Amino acid sequence: KNEVEQSPQNLTAQEGEFITINCSYSVGISALHWLQQHPGGGIVSLFMLSSGKKKHGRLIATINIQEKHSSLHITASHPRDSAVYICAVGSDKLIFGTGTRLQVFP
Amino acid sequence: DTGVSQDPRHKITKRGQNVTFRCDPISEHNRLYWYRQTLGQGPEFLTYFQNEAQLEKSRLLSDRFSAERPKGSFSTLEIQRTEQGDSAMYLCASSYSTANYGYTFGSGTRLTVV
């Protein structure tokens, strides 16, 4: 069993839909990261959180430390949100999930 | 500062050749990380530096791999005697050493061994 599990692996949505991506982890952490990766490889950091909830534009990230679970929500999804979303945990080094590939169609 | 830079962006090499990649981190960041990502997988940790000291190496890093950060600024990752299994995206990231600061990733170097 991987230390960081994401679901679903693949997700398709129509523009405007509300998206939820889940992440569960089995190790003790100091912080959890949500990252976005577009084709071509570059990774962009979306959120780093250790408790509660953070919001940036249409993106919301929550974490439940007791349940070792985090969710990334995208409200009013748009085709430009199409990317791979990766959950990662750790402090000195990151342990990554395998990512969720999101495709949003017009 | 333009972020984390990696060079080259793409490298195609023949099996058995040596390759070297370079990473220039954000100048204020004292930590530098190397990760490897194969198709359809999340990145895997290879090694990291704090300033010029290499603090940890993954068991994934065979003897054919070596990384340096000689002056605590840029870093190089060398792979000797490349194998087809080395084909992957090699990602560099940098951060402050203080806990709970975020990471900044480079665009990666895509290596193809033929």
Side-chain angles (χ1 to χ4, degrees):
Chain A
K1 191 180 190 306
N2 293 334
E3 293 170 297
V4 180
E5 298 270 1
Q6 286 185 238
S7 64
Q9 286 189 308
N10 294 284
L11 187 54
T12 58
Q14 289 294 124
E15 183 173 357
E17 285 186 11
F18 182 85
I19 304 289
T20 296
I21 299 171
N22 295 300
C23 175
S24 296
Y25 54 92
S26 57
V27 294
I29 66 167
S30 59
L32 181 142
H33 302 255
W34 281 104
L35 309 162
Q36 181 191 56
Q37 187 172 35
H38 282 281
I43 291 178
V44 174
S45 180
L46 298 175
F47 294 104
M48 181 179 68
L49 63 166
S50 53
S51 64
K53 176 179 174 178
K54 287 190 176 180
K55 185 176 189 292
H56 181 69
R58 295 180 294 106
L59 301 179
I60 303 166
T62 64
I63 188 168
N64 184 318
I65 297 293
Q66 287 73 30
E67 295 186 2
K68 295 190 173 182
H69 181 269
S70 176
S71 293
L72 176 68
H73 306 285
I74 305 175
T75 61
S77 59
H78 190 276
R80 66 174 174 267
D81 297 326
S82 299
V84 176
Y85 292 84
I86 305 174
C87 170
V89 302
S91 53
D92 291 339
K93 62 179 189 273
L94 295 179
I95 304 170
F96 293 80
T98 55
T100 294
R101 182 174 300 277
L102 172 65
Q103 290 184 289
V104 182
F105 294 98
Chain B
D1 203 336
T2 55
V4 178
S5 300
Q6 290 190 246
D7 184 67
R9 290 295 309 275
H10 303 273
K11 177 72 177 178
I12 300 174
T13 191
K14 291 185 178 179
R15 191 174 50 189
Q17 297 293 305
N18 299 343
V19 294
T20 300
F21 311 140
R22 177 179 169 124
C23 173
D24 287 89
I26 290 176
S27 55
E28 297 86 5
H29 287 177
N30 56 356
R31 284 201 174 175
L32 185 149
Y33 305 80
W34 286 100
Y35 293 91
R36 180 173 66 188
Q37 185 179 26
T38 54
L39 205 61
Q41 301 297 313
E44 297 173 299
F45 169 77
L46 292 179
T47 187
Y48 86 98
F49 295 83
Q50 180 158 311
N51 300 314
E52 65 274 10
Q54 188 173 19
L55 295 189
E56 188 173 346
K57 288 174 60 171
S58 165
R59 286 189 292 271
L60 293 174
L61 221 60
S62 75
D63 291 344
R64 296 183 298 105
F65 289 71
S66 62
E68 293 183 340
R69 194 182 183 198
K71 296 182 181 178
S73 56
F74 74 91
S75 175
T76 58
L77 177 67
E78 181 183 15
I79 310 174
Q80 296 183 326
R81 304 181 303 282
T82 52
E83 302 172 356
Q84 286 189 316
D86 298 330
S87 295
M89 174 75 82
Y90 290 84
L91 292 160
C92 176
S94 68
S95 74
Y96 293 105
S97 58
T98 308
N100 295 333
Y101 276 90
Y103 293 75
T104 303
F105 285 83
S107 298
T109 293
R110 183 170 297 282
L111 173 66
T112 303
V113 181
V114 298

